[in-house]
Structure formats: structure tokens, C-alpha cells
Amino acid sequence: MVLILLCLLPFAGAALVGLLARASRGQQALVAGATTAAALALLLVQAGDVLGGEPVSAQVAWVPSLGLSFSLFLDAWGLLFAGLILGIGLLVIVYARFYLAAADPMGRFYVFLLLFQGAMLGVALADNVLLLLIFWELTSLTSFLLIGFWGHKAEARQGARMALAVTGGGGLALIAGLLLLGQIAGSYELSAILRSGDAIRTSSLYPLALVLILLGCFTKSAQFPFHFWLPHAMAAPTPVSAYLHSATMVKAGVFLLARLWPVLAGTDLWFALVATTGLVTMLVGASIALFKHDLKAILAYSTVSQLGLLTMLLGFGTPMAALVAVFHFLNHAIFKAALFMNAGIVDHETGTRDARVLGGLATLMPISATVGLVTAASMAGLPPLGGFLSKEMMLEEAAHTAWGGAGWVVPVLATLGATLSVAYSLRYAVHVYLRKRHADTPLTPHDPPFGMWGPSALLALGAVAAGLFPMAIAGRLVRAVAGTVTGGLAPIVTLKLWHGLTPALAMSAFAIIVGAVMLAGHGALLRGWERLPVPSAKGLFDRGMSALLAVARGFTLAVQTGSLQRYLAVLFVTAVAVGIAGMSSGGYAPGDRVTLPASPVAIVGWGVLLIGTIAVLRAHRRRFLALIYISVIGLIVSLGFVYMSAPDLALTQITVEVVTILLLLLALNLLPKQPVRLGTTFARFRDGVIALAGGGCTGFVAWAVMTRSPNDPISAFHWAQSYPGGGGTNVVNVTLVDFRAFDTFGEIIVLGIAALAIFALLQTATRGASGQRLRAWLPDLVRSPERHPMMFAVATRLLLPLAMLVGVYIFLRGHNQPGGGFIAGLVISIAILMQYMASGFEWADQRRRLDEHAMIACGVLIAAATGLGSLAFGVPLFTTAYGHFTLPFVGEFELATAMAFDLGVALTVVGAVMQALAELSHVAQRAEKDAPSEFPMDVDPARASEEPS
Amino acid sequence: MSLEFLVASAIAVLTSAGIWLTLRGRTFQVVLGLAMLSYAINVFLFAMGRLVIDKPPIWGKDVTEYADPLPQALVLTAIVIAFGMTALVVVLALRTFLETGTDQVDGLADVTADDDAA
């Protein structure tokens, strides 16, 4: 459980910092730092057990059917990585507090940083590989936010996009790879996968799974040829670079490689792919780093190179090489984070990061210079620093590794890589701090405040300590981690500075001497380098992306023509075709159920419906006429419901009909009304064929179903349980508010959302192009001389209480007799709408006491509360209770919790209907440009002046 | 002629009219068509419970024959949701018209009424 708390702490911290948006920068930093420190403390408490070889684990089932569980475990490898994530995270939080300018939104920065930290921590701790994938993708997303933090800069946006495209794309491959791995192992739990190494390596799916997983790891860890995103991610603020591109994000790939080392490593394919990629990346990164001038670019390419080194070591596939990789993993995180912070300090204090301009800063900023020199020396692999130890051990491993039968390839190239890394590290040290100052920097350099250099100084101390007292500092940790990573195969080694006269020592000495010579001849080398035709990976990436976008755009434009007709036609034709295919293969035919005779009334109604439909079709261009005709159809449908034993439906249909027609009338007032010929004759005929096919098929299916008896109707249950279970005799209402209350709850939410969308669409309609059209709109209909006839106004006002009473009555009886919340809501809406119609929007709106938004919200909340309330009694969601009570004068009556739910329904319906119509009226009023009238029963002055006096 | 035939044919007619109207390229006709389709679909769903006359689904101790309440409950919410959808589509059409000055949705150039009359 401690692990789950640990994993969630950064996310909680992010939420907390987010809530403190108005707090001072110091407070925000304090909260972010305190969360991280707390998480670090939680982690360290468990270090003893974990290093003693007892992993800690925690598990919560999530989606067991998919094999997905929220299971975490902490072994030594996870401990090391999580420790780096949290430890360096804490230092970066302190550093960023002083680094970021006053104009940068500090709170947002810490929120992103903590989210990223939580995602990384999840990667380090996840036991379930599906969970690991979720966190892995989260790191891609959150790093996107961090890299693009300065979103106003084009290169920040580009860098963020590129990082997301490359690491996110790799993440997709990783998903496939890990799923395959889980399939082979038969479990998605890492601890189980790690036990089935033999099964995995001999599986026929192994090569495929390996390549996919490597794609994920290589993109994340910026291995050649996917290395190009990392330098572009340097557009991020330096604290982000120090965090993401030294210790955490880019290390995630290496972390996973090492995590899966026991099951994947050791095959020829593994060596060929991983060791070679690592070797190439190391050389490519180191060569480019030597010839960059931007300090952060130098560090970025050096990171690429060092990640290549780590990958190569893991690729060797020997336990000893894996141990060295683990040790260098630690060393690199320490010196690289410090170097990035150091470069940030130089940038911050001098105003430039150009190595050609800088120089001689050692005397001007002595503290920063000391830190920079020590950590650069560690990166170069100079004794007696941590970097020297691990690099020498790397050379030792390389010295006896053969590549494709050639024994010299790996040692020579590894020495070359080490030489280049000496050269670029020394260049950083010499060109920034040691050589003579030869140009003025934009700012006068001086040491920054303690908060800025403190974190990097601490890391530099760590680099020194790791070199001088390796066993005391890292010995136990490295042994435990190496044991975990290799599955217990790692040899017990003693880390020490002096290994005696070994080949590695000679290679090291060669690297240092030649590296120094290369730096001396840097100018000449640079001229040579600039003549080399180096293909730009970014250019390739950009061309690839634009080609991809062109294809996507072409496809979209071909499919999305902007013609609703075409989309609908495709939809209808497909539906008809699929329907016909289904019917013909399913042997559909009319059944033999006894049919009901059609009474003369039914035939008349049917005839009216037919006439109404034909009238709508004929009049569809004369819009008001069409509305009148369509309301006839609605009326017949309601009557049909009454006739066919559905009183609830009839009530709903007729009330909905009224509000729909009102709504359409209001909208139509503003829409163009001229009759337009729609489509060519051919198009009308073609659409007619589609329409007849669709209608015919639907009618036939309805006929086929109605003429056969129902097969085991589930409604029998609803009927039987309605009164004993739900306490109501109106089975339809009981079904709505009880059996299927959750469903109804969803429906009223949909209704509320529709009303809010209408609000959003129309509130903003008075601005911009839409607002201009509204202002230019002219009434194009003949107005009634009396806008608000007195008879109408008086009658509706008298009717208001009565209509309300009817609504309440329908509501109250709904559980037992036709009625209920939906119908009551609609009836009450109509009662209020009558006031709007009779007395005008302005008048009615001023006298309105209820807010539609509040009504919708209250309705949904009441319904939700009724549903959740049942949980408090230990019964499932939306379970209802009812009882019978007696009151004097009233007599016995029933109360059910479902009634409260129904009240929520009614409130939402009233709110939604009123919202839709009020917004339309509001816009119409804007268009009419009416001066608000004080008189509800006003007489149009235009008419008064026309009348002879 | 049976009641079932009347209902089935009414569904067929309403569906055809709805489809034909939604295939016209103007927002108002699309709204009309959707309204027609809503009628047709609601009646269709209702008819899935088979047709029964004079036996509303009001529970009683001795009542054994009743109209199927389940499709009715489903259709009741469907009617209300159809209203919500119609309202949203109408408002969307209105806003589109105000924003673009045309109520065409067929992706073609605007044909105004004047051109048509000419």
C-alpha cells in the first residue's frame, strides 16, 4: 500500500500546486518540493528491505478480465531509478525556482513537472506491463507539455511535437511488443514474465516481440537513427532538460531494456541489434557533440552518446557488462543533470550559450566553474571521479567482446567513443571556463544565488564521492541492482579506482591523451567536419511528416466533401444494403400471429397521416406550411399511442410536439424562408429511390416482427415486479424511474448537455460575423398588428396556475397512473411558454425567478443523489424504497424514493426546454432590435398611427 | 386490412419521407426529415412490443393481458431525447446560417432564391 501512495503522491502534488494557482512562486515551489521530498522519504524507508533482496509489492485489481491490474513492485533496479527520479526531481524543483523568469507561470511548470514525475515513477514501479505502458505513454504526453512549455517559441513547439511523434510512435510499437511478450509468457505481470525467459527466447514470436520492444526503447532513449528528437527538445527550459534528458525520460528506454534483460538478452539477435545500435549511437552522438557550439546542444548530443554506451553495454549480454551499465547509469545521471544545470547557470548569467563566445568564466564565477569542471571531468572519465570508474569498466568489457567474429572492432570503436567523449567534455570545460576571455557576453557574468548552484554542487560532490569511495557510496546499491537486472547472475565485484595495469587502463590513457590533442586542434577538425556531407535527420523527419500529412489531407478531402447529403446517402444506402443482406440470409418472412382488425377510426387516422406526409413533402419548400403539416403527423402519432394502449407515450408525444413546433417557429423566423428548388430532377428521383428502399425495408421488418409472437418477453419480469418491487402500478413509469433508472439518468444528462450546448451556441451568436448578420437582419414577415393580444395574455395568465397544477398532478400520480416526471416537466414548460408567447419574452423573462442552468443542475444532482443514496444503505446503485403513510385529511398515500428521482427528471426537462426556447427568443429579440416594452399588452404603435383618428 | 398493416405501412411512409427530406441540401429540410425519422423510429420501437388495444400497462392484481411496458418506457425517453436532438440541430443550423450566411449543407456553392427564380 505504501507503494501505491508513493506512486500517487506526485499526482496529488500536481493537483495541489494546480489549486495554488494564486499562491506565490515560493509557496508553489515549496509544495512541489515537499511532495517530492515526501515521496523520496517513503522510497528510502523501504530501501533497506529492497537492497536486502526482498522486493516490496502492492496490488489492486483494475480490469482483471484483461489481465490489467494496478500492481506495483519495488526491487533494487526500480529503487535506483525511482531514487534518481525523485532525488534529481527535488534538486530540479529547487533549481527551477531560481531559474525561471518572473514572467514564466511557475505553477503550471510545477504541475507539468510533477505529472511527469508521477508518470516516470509509475514506469519505475509498475509490475504489470499494461500498467507500465500506460505510464510510458503518460511520460510521452507530459514531456510534450514540458518541452513545449515556452509555447510562444516556434522551436519549442516543433521540438515538443517531434519528441511526441518519435517517442509516442515508439510507444505504439512497444505496446505491440509487450502484448506479444505477455502472450508468450501467459501473464502480463512482469514478475511472471521475468521467470519465463527460456520460453520467451525459444518462442517463434521472439524476434518480432524483440524488434517491437526495441523500437519503443530506442525511440525513448534517443538511439540512432531516432536520436534527432533529443537535441530539438533542448528548446525546453533548462530545468526540464536537466530532468528529462539526463536522469529520467531518456533513461526510461535503457531502464526497460535492463528490466527485460533476463528474458530478452543473450541471443545473437539481441547482441546484433542492441550492441550495434548502441555502438553506432555512441560514435554518432559523440562526433556531433564535439562540433556543436550551443552548450545545451553539446550536452544533448553527449547524452545521446552516453545513452548509446549504456545500450551497447546491455547489448553485450554478459552479466558483468550489465553491471557496468547499471553503474554508469547512476554516474551519468549524476554528472549530466549537474552539467545541464551548469549550462543553464552560464546561460542565465551571461545571456549566451554559444561556446565560441564564452570563455574565461573561471575567475568570474568560481563556484559555478568548480562544479562545471568537476562534472565535465566525470563525463570525460578522468580519475578520480565516478565517470572514470564506470568508463574504465566499460572499456574493460569492450576489450574482450568480439563483434561478428572480429575481435578488434568493439575495442577500437569503444576507445574511439571514449576519446571523443574526452574531447567534447574537455571542450565544455576549457572553452567555457578556462581559456582566455575573448568576447563580451550580453550580461556581466557572476555566480548565481545559492539556490541555483546548490543542487548542481551537491551532484558534483556525488560524482567525486562515487570516484573516491565507490564501495561506500554505491557498492551495495550497484551489487543489488546488478543482481536484480541480471536475474542473480552478476558477479560480486568490488568497485575501485585502481585496477592495476589492464588493457582498459591503456585504452583510457589513450583516450585522454588523444582527446586532449583533438581539443587543441579543434579549429582544424571543425573545418574538416563542416565539409562533411552530414544528412540532417531533422530534414528527413520533416519531409516524412509533410508527406504523411499530405496523404492524410488528400484522403480526408476525398472522403469529407462537406456535403451532408453525400454522408447521409452513404449511411442510408449502407443500412439498406446490410438490412437486405440480413433479411435475405435470415429467412425473414411475415409470421402467422393473429392480427388485429383495423377499425374505421384507425383507418381514418392512417389516412390523415398519409395525407399529412404527402402535404409535408409537397410543401417542404414553404416552410411555415410544412411546419403546420408536420404537426398534424405528430398529432396522429399521439392519437395512435392512445389507441394502442400507450397513454404515457401519447402524453409525452403531444407535449413534445407543442414545444418542438414552438422551437421550430422561433428558429424559422431567423432562417431564410424563400422557396428554393433543391437538387436536380435526377437527384430528386435518385433520392426517392433510396428513400423508398429504406422506408419499404423498415416497414417490412416492422411487419415481420408484429406478425409473429414475442419470444420469451423480458417485460414479464417488469410487469410482475412493478408493484411488489417498485411500489407503483404504472409499469412504464416504474421502469423509467426504478428498473432502468440508471438509463434514465443518462438520458437526462444528455438532455442537459444538449441545452447547455444550445446556450453555448447562441450566447456567442451575437459576436463576430454571426453578430453582424443578426444586426443586419430585417423582419421579413408580416407582423401581427397586435403583438401581444389582450385576450391571449389575460387567458394565459389565468391559466398559468391551473396549468401548473395539472403538471403537479401528472407528476404526483405518475407512479401509479399515466404521467410522471418527463410529462410533468413538459406540461409545466408549456405553461411557462404560454406566458412568453402571450406577453412577450421581455415581460415574462423579467418575472422569471428560476434560472435554467440551476434547474438542469439541480435536476441531475437530485437524480444522482437518489441513486447514490441507495449505496449508503448497502444496496446497489439506484435501488429504490417505498412505504405507505397516512396523514389526516389526506388519507393514506405512498412515498417512494423513485419520486425524488422523478423530480430530478422533471426539473431537468423544464430546465432544458426553457433553456432552448429562452436562448432562441433572446437571439430573435436581438435581431428584432425591439426596445423593451413596459406594457405587456401593448398595441403596435405603427398600427395606431395608421388608424384614422 | 389489419392494424399491423396500417402501422407497418405508416412506418414505411414516414421513413421514406424522412430519408428523402434529409437528403435535400438545406438545413430546414434536414430538420424536417429528422423529425419524420424520429416519428418513424419511435413508432417502430413501440411496435416491437406488438400491438394491443385497450390494455394499458397499468398493473392490477387480476390483470393478465397488458401492452408490453418495456418498449413504451424506452420510447418515452426516446421521444424526449429526439426533442433535445431536434432543438440542438435547429440551433446548430441557425448558428451556421448566421455564421456563414447560407443554410446549404450539400457542400455546393450557394444557390440563392433569386437565382432559382430567374
Side-chain angles (χ1 to χ4, degrees):
Chain A
M1 278 305 134
V2 185
L3 278 190
I4 292 175
L5 179 65
L6 172 64
C7 185
L8 296 180
L9 251 179
F11 295 107
L16 204 57
V17 176
L19 288 176
L20 290 175
R22 288 171 198 284
S24 74
R25 296 154 63 83
Q27 284 167 329
Q28 290 168 339
L30 197 66
V31 170
T35 331
T36 310
L40 188 61
L42 268 184
L43 183 77
L44 292 181
V45 166
Q46 301 170 79
D49 281 353
V50 172
L51 290 182
E54 288 172 40
V56 185
S57 63
Q59 188 167 19
V60 179
W62 189 356
V63 192
S65 54
L66 291 180
L68 172 59
S69 63
F70 196 93
S71 53
L72 304 171
F73 84 125
L74 182 69
D75 62 0
W77 184 218
L79 176 76
L80 170 62
F81 197 35
L84 287 175
I85 292 163
L86 292 171
I88 295 185
L90 187 58
L91 296 178
V92 166
I93 286 170
V94 175
Y95 177 74
R97 162 68 187 84
F98 296 92
Y99 181 86
L100 287 182
D104 292 321
M106 182 79 93
R108 205 169 70 189
F109 179 83
Y110 283 129
V111 170
F112 291 170
L113 195 79
L114 286 173
L115 286 177
F116 173 79
Q117 191 182 68
M120 283 307 303
L121 207 54
V123 170
L125 299 180
D127 187 359
N128 186 290
V129 290
L130 301 178
L131 186 67
L132 182 122
L133 284 170
I134 293 171
F135 283 119
W136 184 279
E137 294 293 315
L138 259 184
T139 63
S140 293
L141 291 177
T142 47
S143 68
F144 172 80
L145 295 174
L146 281 169
I147 297 170
F149 182 70
W150 282 331
H152 55 276
K153 293 185 181 172
E155 70 260 29
R157 295 196 298 272
Q158 276 172 9
R161 249 194 333 262
M162 192 185 280
L164 185 66
V166 176
T167 61
L172 292 182
L174 184 70
I175 291 177
L178 287 182
L179 286 180
L180 278 180
L181 202 63
Q183 289 290 323
I184 301 173
S187 165
Y188 289 116
E189 296 296 311
L190 253 178
S191 28
I193 291 176
L194 290 181
R195 281 193 299 271
S196 33
D198 288 332
I200 289 169
R201 277 186 298 268
T202 52
S203 162
S204 59
L205 287 172
Y206 169 76
L208 183 61
L210 178 65
V211 168
L212 288 169
I213 292 172
L214 289 183
L215 268 178
C217 293
F218 286 175
T219 47
K220 200 78 162 183
S221 282
Q223 296 297 297
F224 181 83
F226 308 111
H227 62 285
F228 55 90
W229 70 264
L230 203 160
H232 287 284
M234 290 299 128
T238 302
V240 173
S241 310
Y243 196 33
L244 267 63
H245 307 127
S246 64
T248 55
M249 161 114 154
V250 293
K251 287 281 177 67
V254 176
F255 173 80
L256 189 60
L257 278 185
R259 182 56 106 196
L260 297 174
W261 193 91
V263 291
L264 294 179
T267 61
D268 290 341
L269 186 63
W270 168 272
F271 180 85
L273 289 175
V274 182
T276 315
T277 308
L279 194 58
V280 172
T281 309
M282 177 169 80
L283 290 173
V284 168
S287 326
I288 303 178
L290 184 56
F291 301 108
K292 285 286 167 186
H293 303 302
D294 179 354
L295 294 187
K296 276 179 81 176
I298 296 176
L299 294 179
Y301 280 105
S302 82
T303 303
V304 170
S305 164
Q306 302 274 344
L307 290 167
L309 189 157
L310 290 173
T311 307
M312 178 185 80
L313 280 170
L314 290 171
F316 285 168
T318 60
M320 186 59 199
L323 181 143
V324 180
V326 167
F327 188 31
H328 194 67
F329 187 91
L330 176 67
N331 281 327
H332 175 250
I334 291 174
F335 68 67
K336 192 49 66 67
L339 276 169
F340 267 116
M341 291 184 193
N342 194 254
I345 290 172
V346 170
D347 185 16
H348 203 265
E349 302 305 328
T350 65
T352 179
R353 293 197 311 244
D354 193 332
R356 288 167 300 190
V357 179
L358 292 163
L361 294 182
T363 49
L364 293 170
M365 28 201 311
I367 302 174
S368 312
T370 314
V371 173
L373 292 176
V374 168
T375 45
S378 184
M379 175 158 77
L382 298 186
L385 299 160
F388 168 74
L389 263 81
S390 51
K391 190 155 288 179
E392 206 185 38
M393 288 162 83
M394 177 277 283
L395 291 171
E396 179 69 38
E397 285 310 298
H400 44 77
T401 302
W403 190 85
W408 58 270
V409 176
V410 175
V412 167
L413 293 182
T415 313
L416 179 60
T419 313
L420 286 168
S421 81
V422 169
Y424 66 66
S425 306
L426 288 182
R427 175 158 180 245
Y428 182 91
V430 172
H431 282 196
V432 175
Y433 291 111
L434 297 179
R435 72 169 170 190
K436 242 173 66 189
R437 198 164 179 229
H438 60 76
D440 280 331
T441 49
L443 302 172
T444 312
H446 57 81
D447 265 319
F450 170 75
M452 230 163 135
W453 63 258
S456 54
L458 201 61
L459 289 169
L461 273 180
V464 176
L468 290 180
F469 317 105
M471 280 318 285
I473 299 290
R476 193 168 167 224
L477 182 65
V478 170
R479 272 183 193 168
V481 174
T484 316
V485 166
T486 57
L489 296 175
I492 305 291
V493 290
T494 307
L495 306 171
K496 54 186 183 230
L497 261 179
W498 178 249
H499 281 94
L501 291 168
T502 56
L505 187 68
M507 288 152 84
S508 234
F510 174 86
I512 293 169
I513 293 165
V514 177
V517 171
M518 281 174 92
L519 180 66
H522 187 260
L525 285 173
L526 182 63
R527 281 189 290 281
W529 173 261
E530 279 167 352
R531 256 178 256 132
L532 275 180
V534 184
S536 149
K538 180 182 183 299
L540 288 174
F541 175 81
D542 286 346
R543 274 199 292 285
M545 283 303 268
S546 48
L548 202 64
L549 283 177
V551 170
R553 197 169 293 134
F555 179 76
T556 309
L557 286 179
V559 176
Q560 300 277 323
T561 54
S563 164
L564 182 69
Q565 284 169 293
R566 183 191 281 200
Y567 309 152
L568 285 177
V570 169
L571 189 75
F572 289 138
V573 170
T574 313
V576 169
V578 172
I580 288 178
M583 276 196 297
S584 55
S585 63
Y588 259 92
D592 49 7
R593 185 170 183 261
V594 180
T595 56
L596 297 167
S599 65
V601 177
I603 296 177
V604 170
W606 180 76
V608 174
L609 184 108
L610 247 51
I611 295 169
T613 311
I614 293 166
V616 171
L617 289 180
R618 285 189 60 84
H620 73 90
R621 285 153 59 196
R622 303 180 189 285
R623 298 181 169 191
F624 279 102
L625 217 50
L627 275 189
I628 307 284
Y629 293 145
I630 203 169
S631 61
V632 172
I633 300 176
L635 195 65
I636 297 291
V637 172
S638 325
L639 289 176
F641 285 142
V642 175
Y643 185 71
M644 293 181 282
S645 316
D648 289 278
L649 291 191
L651 281 169
T652 315
Q653 182 74 56
I654 194 113
T655 43
V656 159
E657 202 57 37
V658 173
V659 287
T660 310
I661 298 294
L662 273 178
L663 183 101
L664 288 174
L665 282 173
L666 270 172
L668 195 54
N669 188 28
L670 293 170
L671 284 169
K673 299 166 199 69
Q674 302 90 337
V676 182
R677 188 180 168 76
L678 298 168
T680 57
T681 312
F682 168 72
R684 296 155 73 87
F685 178 74
R686 179 198 60 200
D687 295 346
V689 172
I690 299 177
L692 284 178
C697 290
T698 320
F700 177 75
V701 173
W703 168 252
V705 173
M706 281 189 286
T707 50
R708 57 189 68 216
S709 294
N711 178 15
D712 184 23
I714 51 170
S715 352
F717 166 80
H718 292 75
W719 177 267
Q721 286 299 318
S722 173
Y723 190 70
T729 55
N730 180 3
V731 188
V732 174
N733 184 265
V734 174
T735 306
L736 282 176
V737 298
D738 193 331
F739 301 139
R740 301 189 56 85
F742 199 31
D743 198 4
T744 311
F745 182 59
E747 314 246 8
I748 61 172
I749 289 177
V750 171
L751 202 62
I753 290 173
L756 292 182
I758 289 172
F759 176 77
L761 279 169
L762 290 184
Q763 273 293 310
T764 51
T766 50
R767 291 200 289 258
S770 153
Q772 279 175 4
R773 278 202 184 77
L774 263 185
R775 282 189 289 278
W777 185 86
L778 291 173
D780 51 358
L781 289 170
V782 185
R783 285 189 171 189
S784 157
E786 278 183 281
R787 310 265 316 274
H788 306 299
M790 187 182 292
M791 283 264 276
F792 191 22
V794 171
T796 51
R797 275 177 223 175
L798 284 175
L799 274 175
L800 179 66
L802 281 175
M804 291 286 199
L805 199 64
V806 171
V808 173
Y809 172 68
I810 285 183
F811 173 78
L812 286 178
R813 73 174 209 163
H815 216 45
N816 294 314
Q817 291 294 315
F822 277 112
I823 302 164
L826 287 161
V827 169
I828 290 172
S829 307
I830 293 173
I832 304 174
L833 284 176
M834 284 197 303
Q835 308 306 313
Y836 279 78
M837 282 194 299
S839 307
F841 174 72
E842 190 75 23
W843 184 88
D845 200 47
Q846 279 167 4
R847 281 152 188 82
R848 189 179 53 119
R849 293 280 184 279
L850 291 168
D851 177 57
E852 290 101 358
H853 289 172
M855 265 196 279
I856 296 175
C858 285
V860 172
L861 287 178
I862 289 175
T866 343
L868 289 173
S870 58
L871 291 183
F873 295 94
V875 285
L877 200 67
F878 285 108
T879 309
T880 57
Y882 67 94
H884 293 265
F885 307 88
T886 316
L887 269 186
F889 305 114
V890 180
E892 190 188 325
F893 64 98
E894 183 202 339
L895 273 182
T897 56
M899 198 169 239
F901 181 81
D902 222 11
L903 178 68
V905 172
L907 274 178
T908 313
V909 170
V910 176
V913 173
M914 298 310 297
Q915 176 85 76
L917 289 146
E919 282 306 316
L920 269 172
S921 314
H922 171 74
V923 168
Q925 202 195 17
R926 284 293 182 93
E928 298 265 7
K929 297 168 275 290
D930 276 346
S933 161
E934 287 177 36
F935 308 104
M937 286 167 259
D938 57 343
V939 172
D940 192 344
R943 186 199 181 209
S945 61
E946 278 166 22
E947 282 177 12
S949 52
Chain B
M1 217 166 6
S2 64
L3 189 61
E4 278 80 2
F5 173 77
L6 293 187
V7 171
S9 57
I11 290 172
V13 168
L14 286 172
T15 311
S16 300
I19 292 179
W20 193 79
L21 280 173
T22 48
L23 290 177
R24 306 298 94 208
R26 300 261 170 174
T27 51
F28 183 73
Q29 277 73 15
V30 172
V31 172
L32 277 189
L34 285 177
M36 296 277 240
L37 273 177
S38 307
Y39 291 138
I41 291 164
N42 288 339
V43 175
F44 181 89
L45 289 178
F46 168 73
M48 293 301 104
R50 311 304 188 273
L51 305 184
V52 178
I53 296 176
D54 284 342
K55 296 181 187 70
I58 306 293
W59 189 86
K61 245 189 197 125
D62 308 319
V63 181
T64 51
E65 289 189 10
Y66 50 88
D68 194 338
L70 196 56
Q72 293 197 16
L74 299 183
V75 170
L76 199 151
T77 50
I79 295 173
V80 180
I81 292 293
F83 161 74
M85 182 201 69
T86 310
L88 187 61
V89 171
V90 166
V91 168
L92 208 55
L94 179 61
R95 179 72 196 266
T96 314
F97 170 67
L98 289 173
E99 211 65 55
T100 62
T102 170
D103 64 340
Q104 270 184 299
V105 285
D106 52 8
L108 303 173
D110 191 18
V111 183
T112 62
D114 302 332
D115 298 343
D116 189 64

